[in-house]
Amino acid sequence: HARAHRRRAATMSRMGAWALREAAARAREIVLLPVLAVRLAVAVVPTGALWLLKLAQLVAFAVLLLPGFLRIVVWYFASPLVVRSVRYARHPRNMLDLYLPQGADAMELKQHARDPAVVAAVTDSDSGSDDGSGADVGNGREDGMAGKGRSGSAREGRGRPMVVFVPGGVWIIGYKAWGALLGRTLMCAGFVVACVDYRNFPMGSVSAMEEDVTAAVSWALRNAQALGADPSRVVLVGQSAGAHLSALSVCRQAMRVRAERHRADVSHVRSASSGSSPRAAVADSDGGAPQLSEAVAELDEHAAGRAAWRPRALRALVGVSGPYSLDDELVRHFQEHGLHPKLLARIMEGDLRANCPCALVREGSVDARDLPKIALLQGSADASVPSDQCTKLADALEGVDAGGGDKLVCRVYKGATHTSPIIEGPMSGGKDVLIEDIIRAAYGALWEESTAPGGGAGDILHSADGGARIDALSAGAEAEAALAAVQARPLCPRFLVYLARRVMPF
């Protein structure tokens, strides 16, 4: 009885400590938005008059769309289908918002997400695990909430598709609530949506951000079934800086998978006692990649103690308006638009090449066999990120034989701005081209379109108002029904959305 009493006391103590930590996290969230605003102002003060102009444009943009923003704020805090600030890892910023579709047993899922035992299980299996070995997800492993009592589609069928959304914010002001409009739209289409918060600069540099994104994807893959989603239909979507971090995370995980294959080949060659040297044999098995052993050692040091998953466990990677090639041309473009090269260098830890998805692909660090299907989407009117960024990554992927039109889609949307997919599009309601393509990606239909007669992988230009689209999906009636569901009412008068597009500084 004494031992049982001590165990109960210890459990209550842990629960109390958890409650205090969560209360502190909520308090930090309350002051986070003004802190982000001040941080952005301090970061861009050296750029002077340019950012004063952009600030004026941004204020005008926000005022024009204020009726829609007020409606979405009320919905965000009042809707029973939004579960805010679910912890996915240990750091205070490691929170995500869940958007649950109608009929998804929202109350039951909210209880699962808030269960302290579930949070403890999740944080024990994240990048901060005691044994230092990240949980490798996507190979049959289930942790966290997976396997908990759960009724509905997760048991009865394949479950719903799930989107893990990583918002942008110049690597400085990223925040999970930036995905509220996109999350609301996808939720109406039947998706389970997780909008991820992660450390920003100067709280953390690019390595910390990538670590957080990797941990969030690991959490989603482990817990998809408990959330009523299909673990085989999890799509990673990133926008702007979030697209860069998502692509970087997928590349790092692909490099880790390749490193595991390298070690297995070395072990096999040594045990077989073949005539050739182990290094030469492994180089042959991995396409002759130079200095692979050194790259494996460097990757092991980078990934030690972090979450792990196999990129092919994802249904797809969808990058929206992302900066993937951190070359001199992009650095100059950023400088002209207010992001100083020294600040960018600090964010990227002084090594742009090592944190550049295009460079990792071109240098042979990534094996195309380990990548999921990839869709790269960009607006032609994007002033923040040049529209050729998606084609540069597409060219790099095609150069390493990443499947061409079979696994890769690159699309440019005429007239779309940097924020069209997450603000103007959902605000205006009706058909949204990007949402359609995300849904097509979740069902695999996007790649069927690109390989159909007249389709292509790298030169497709679509109208932002939904023209020149293929209306029917060959992937089945379920996808067609989802497309019909996203035709929402506008949150703001369309003439205000039109004016907002005209003054949008990004």
Side-chain angles (χ1 to χ4, degrees):
H1 290 294
R3 283 196 300 269
H5 177 73
R6 285 194 297 270
R7 282 197 298 269
R8 285 195 297 271
T11 300
M12 293 300 294
S13 176
R14 286 195 298 270
M15 295 276 286
W18 173 84
L20 288 174
R21 287 196 302 270
E22 292 302 298
R26 299 296 182 275
R28 282 190 292 267
E29 278 197 277
I30 293 174
V31 300
L32 182 58
L33 291 180
V35 168
L36 291 176
V38 172
R39 185 183 301 167
L40 180 62
V42 171
V44 302
V45 160
T47 60
L50 174 63
W51 268 93
L52 291 177
L53 174 61
K54 287 187 176 292
L55 178 61
Q57 290 178 288
L58 187 60
V59 170
F61 177 83
V63 170
L64 287 168
L65 296 181
L66 187 59
F69 284 136
L70 291 176
R71 291 181 64 182
I72 202 67
V73 166
V74 171
W75 173 84
Y76 176 76
F77 285 102
S79 174
L81 299 177
V82 180
V83 188
R84 295 181 302 280
S85 300
V86 177
R87 183 168 297 284
Y88 66 84
R90 292 180 182 273
H91 194 273
R93 288 293 298 270
N94 292 160
M95 300 281 195
L96 55 82
D97 291 336
L98 287 173
Y99 297 81
L100 307 173
Q102 293 285 350
D105 295 336
M107 294 307 297
E108 180 183 347
L109 296 180
K110 289 176 91 167
Q111 291 174 358
H112 279 305
R114 298 295 189 204
D115 185 352
V118 168
V119 175
V122 169
T123 54
D124 284 344
S125 62
D126 71 2
S127 57
S129 57
D130 292 337
D131 61 1
S133 59
D136 194 348
V137 183
N139 197 24
R141 178 183 169 106
E142 292 183 350
D143 291 316
M145 295 195 303
K148 296 276 182 182
R150 171 78 183 93
S151 60
S153 57
R155 285 185 174 183
E156 296 167 3
R158 291 193 304 164
R160 303 172 186 273
M162 182 174 186
V163 166
V164 180
F165 179 65
V166 184
V170 209
W171 301 283
I172 298 172
I173 57 167
Y175 185 54
K176 55 188 173 65
W178 300 168
L181 279 162
L182 182 63
R184 180 178 183 269
T185 305
L186 289 173
M187 182 192 76
C188 293
F191 284 79
V192 175
V193 184
C195 290
V196 177
D197 200 10
Y198 54 91
R199 283 170 282 182
N200 299 148
F201 184 83
M203 183 182 293
S205 56
V206 65
S207 292
M209 302 179 208
E210 178 220 328
E211 179 182 355
D212 291 350
V213 171
T214 301
V217 174
S218 177
W219 184 94
L221 290 170
R222 286 196 309 269
N223 297 295
Q225 186 173 4
L227 294 170
D230 182 352
S232 68
R233 291 196 291 175
V234 176
V235 181
L236 176 59
V237 181
Q239 190 267 341
S240 189
H244 165 263
L245 296 172
S246 298
L248 187 62
S249 177
V250 168
C251 286
R252 296 275 196 223
Q253 294 304 303
M255 292 166 65
R256 182 190 59 80
V257 171
R258 186 180 183 185
E260 290 178 354
R261 191 162 55 244
H262 168 81
R263 282 189 287 266
D265 288 342
V266 168
S267 177
H268 175 73
V269 170
R270 286 174 176 170
S271 62
S273 301
S274 62
S276 60
S277 68
R279 185 182 178 85
V282 173
D284 290 340
S285 68
D286 257 304
Q291 299 180 331
L292 185 57
S293 296
E294 289 83 352
V296 168
E298 182 180 348
L299 179 64
D300 285 344
E301 182 178 355
H302 172 84
R306 299 190 176 194
W309 37 269
R310 298 185 180 276
R312 294 292 294 271
L314 294 171
R315 182 65 176 266
L317 165 67
V318 181
V320 183
S321 307
Y324 310 109
S325 181
L326 304 179
D327 51 20
D328 293 341
E329 181 181 352
L330 183 64
V331 172
R332 286 194 298 271
H333 177 86
F334 280 161
Q335 184 174 13
E336 292 170 358
H337 289 77
L339 182 60
H340 198 277
K342 290 184 178 180
L343 177 60
L344 180 62
R346 290 181 62 193
I347 293 170
M348 298 298 159
E349 301 169 345
D351 194 343
L352 270 64
R353 184 207 61 79
N355 296 292
C356 173
C358 279
L360 296 177
V361 172
R362 289 195 189 103
E363 293 171 2
S365 301
V366 177
D367 192 325
R369 294 174 294 175
D370 302 319
L371 295 174
K373 291 182 176 181
I374 297 174
L376 304 173
L377 314 177
Q378 188 92 16
S380 66
D382 190 333
S384 296
V385 178
S387 59
D388 65 352
Q389 283 290 303
C390 66
T391 58
K392 286 183 177 181
L393 181 55
D395 291 343
L397 290 167
E398 289 178 336
V400 297
D401 190 25
D406 183 45
K407 287 182 64 177
L408 175 65
V409 171
C410 180
R411 293 187 169 177
V412 178
Y413 299 86
K414 185 177 180 180
T417 69
H418 191 67
T419 57
S420 288
I422 60 169
I423 299 180
E424 299 101 303
M427 280 279 189
S428 61
K431 292 184 66 174
D432 187 283
V433 178
L434 176 64
I435 303 301
E436 290 183 357
D437 282 347
I438 292 175
I439 292 171
R440 285 180 166 88
Y443 292 106
L446 190 62
W447 290 268
E448 290 183 11
E449 284 185 20
S450 66
T451 56
D459 57 354
I460 304 176
L461 189 67
H462 291 293
S463 170
D465 62 1
R469 296 294 295 166
I470 299 174
D471 291 328
L473 283 178
S474 58
E478 189 179 13
E480 293 182 14
L483 281 175
V486 300
Q487 298 184 25
R489 294 179 180 178
L491 292 171
C492 197
R494 288 198 172 102
F495 79 93
L496 290 180
V497 177
Y498 171 79
L499 293 176
R501 280 197 176 104
R502 304 291 293 179
V503 302
M504 178 61 191
F506 304 117

